[in-house]
Amino acid sequence: MEKNNPRVNSALMQQFVGQVVRLPCKIKTVNTDADTVTVEASDGGEVIVKLAVTEQVTETYYEIIGKVTEPGRMNMLIAIHMPGDIDMAIIDKVIGLIHDPRFFTKIFCTTDNDNYPV
């Protein structure tokens, strides 16, 4: 079975160390010397993202798909540009609902998906 990539905020990243996740975020700073970007996640927390070799971030909002290396850090696999002015507070509320135990296994995840901590 193909695994899903959970959508997370900075606070949830600690639950997914070593796993691939989706992080909706706003680019704050780009460090070209270290090939990293510092982003603001939907909950306002900062995450340091190691850029993929083929990716450049030149816009404001992205959903970054990557592997969590430790809480607050991830290695980018791909960046998906989200055009326009994004309401990150609404995105964070959706992420909260996705991970709410009342809905988690009923709507967003099957119980046999080992990509999610249960």
Side-chain angles (χ1 to χ4, degrees):
M1 175 182 210
E2 187 174 314
K3 294 183 179 185
N4 295 319
N5 305 123
R7 195 163 271 117
V8 299
N9 57 25
S10 66
L12 289 166
M13 288 180 71
Q14 65 185 355
Q15 297 175 34
F16 297 94
V17 173
Q19 298 179 44
V20 176
V21 299
R22 296 170 151 308
L23 181 72
C25 59
K26 180 179 182 177
I27 304 299
K28 291 182 73 175
T29 60
V30 178
N31 182 342
T32 54
D33 294 334
D35 292 327
T36 62
V37 291
T38 301
V39 301
E40 182 178 326
S42 62
D43 62 351
E46 283 192 1
V47 176
I48 296 173
V49 180
K50 177 79 171 154
L51 293 171
V53 176
T54 59
E55 292 293 328
Q56 291 184 346
V57 289
T58 57
E59 303 296 333
T60 304
Y61 294 100
Y62 287 88
E63 181 166 67
I64 296 175
I65 301 172
K67 189 172 190 175
V68 179
T69 56
E70 61 184 87
R73 296 180 82 80
M74 68 188 298
N75 291 338
M76 177 192 294
L77 299 173
I78 190 167
I80 302 167
H81 174 238
M82 299 189 303
D85 190 23
I86 306 298
D87 188 335
M88 295 300 277
I90 290 175
I91 289 176
D92 199 56
K93 288 179 183 180
V94 170
I95 290 171
L97 288 172
I98 290 170
H99 294 276
D100 186 315
R102 296 174 297 167
F103 311 119
F104 190 66
T105 58
K106 292 181 175 75
I107 299 172
F108 299 106
C109 174
T110 60
T111 54
D112 64 340
N113 185 339
D114 63 355
N115 199 35
Y116 288 89
V118 179

